[in-house]
Amino acid sequence: MINVAIDGPAGAGKSTIAKAAAKKMGYIYVDTGALYRAVGVYSLRNGVDTTDGEAVAKTLPSVSVELKFQDGVQHVYLNGEDVSEEIRTPKASMAASHVSAVPAVRQFLFDLQRDIAAKNNCIMDGRDIGTVVLPHAQVKIFLTASPEARAKRRFIELQAKGAKDAFEQVLADLKQRDYNDSHREVAPLKPADDSVLVDTTALTLEASVEKVIEVIKEKL
């Protein structure tokens, strides 16, 4: 199976770019961040402090997360309920950042991610795909952009959904997430040694997708 690992910070456009590239190449797209968001949503719904690793770990026996692909589109199910929309809120984003630092959560989702990659040609995105989850992936890309460019994209996305978050708040949340993701003890966000850096700050979405496909084809 051909596995492409795409890592990078929040708001770099990983999901959108990876999804489009996967569609063009006929691979399935796996958004691992959605899995962490689902675990975060379960904690939020049950009044669990997502910064309390022990409390979050205790919820895991009650959590079932599944990815289902319907017409090539990934849907995320939490205990049988489609939560694909709910996991995209700012609250869910921050909860995901917190629970992803919990070793028990990473272990809980690790096997699911590897199992999907073993059975499918896929493009998988996240924070530690090239470094931890799929260290033997044939292609590894580290996708990034300036914090301001990433915050602007996220801001426009949230506005389209009717959210009232101020740009300054979106930027502050994003910088906090960057800090959390790169400073956690377990599987911190960092480029794999053999990854190709793709900076999308000055690129349109279409150009970013083409650049990623170009890198994949070159590597294969």
Side-chain angles (χ1 to χ4, degrees), residues 132-148:
V132 178
V133 181
L134 302 177
H136 302 301
Q138 293 93 328
V139 185
K140 297 177 190 175
I141 294 169
F142 193 84
L143 199 65
T144 190
S146 71
E148 289 72 22

Side-chain angles (χ1 to χ4, degrees), residues 44-219:
L44 291 174
R45 284 180 173 185
N46 289 277
V48 175
D49 179 358
T50 55
T51 63
D52 182 342
E54 274 186 40
V56 171
K58 283 177 184 168
T59 68
L60 295 176
S62 309
V63 177
S64 163
V65 184
E66 287 178 282
L67 292 182
K68 293 182 183 178
F69 297 91
Q70 296 160 4
D71 299 323
V73 177
Q74 175 185 274
H75 287 258
V76 186
Y77 285 81
L78 172 62
N79 293 347
E81 178 192 349
D82 189 339
V83 292
S84 305
E85 285 295 316
E86 188 178 348
I87 61 171
R88 296 296 163 197
T89 63
K91 268 188 178 178
S93 293
M94 201 50 82
S97 184
H98 294 154
V99 304
S100 63
V102 181
V105 174
R106 302 202 77 82
Q107 194 56 51
F108 175 70
L109 296 173
F110 187 72
D111 295 337
L112 174 60
Q113 294 169 56
R114 281 210 161 164
D115 187 52
I116 294 170
K119 295 174 181 171
N120 300 278
N121 289 334
C122 70
I123 297 182
M124 188 178 288
D125 79 20
R127 300 287 192 281
D128 64 342
I129 310 305
T131 51
V132 178
V133 181
L134 302 177
H136 302 301
Q138 293 93 328
V139 185
K140 297 177 190 175
I141 294 169
F142 193 84
L143 199 65
T144 190
S146 71
E148 289 72 22
R150 291 185 282 124
K152 187 178 176 187
R153 292 169 192 167
R154 182 60 53 87
F155 178 65
I156 291 168
E157 202 177 274
L158 289 169
Q159 275 194 317
K161 290 179 179 173
K164 298 283 186 276
D165 306 59
F167 174 76
E168 289 74 17
Q169 187 57 50
V170 174
L171 179 59
D173 284 353
L174 186 132
K175 286 181 174 177
Q176 183 61 52
R177 232 192 133 181
D178 283 354
Y179 183 85
N180 293 351
D181 291 344
S182 55
H183 286 77
R184 65 182 180 222
E185 286 181 29
V186 182
L189 169 69
K190 61 178 182 180
D193 293 338
D194 52 348
S195 66
V196 177
L197 182 71
V198 175
D199 188 323
T200 67
T201 302
L203 299 180
T204 62
L205 173 60
E206 291 75 17
S208 300
V209 173
E210 289 309 318
K211 180 67 180 169
V212 163
I213 290 174
E214 190 184 302
V215 170
I216 294 170
K217 287 180 175 174
E218 274 177 15
K219 284 284 181 182

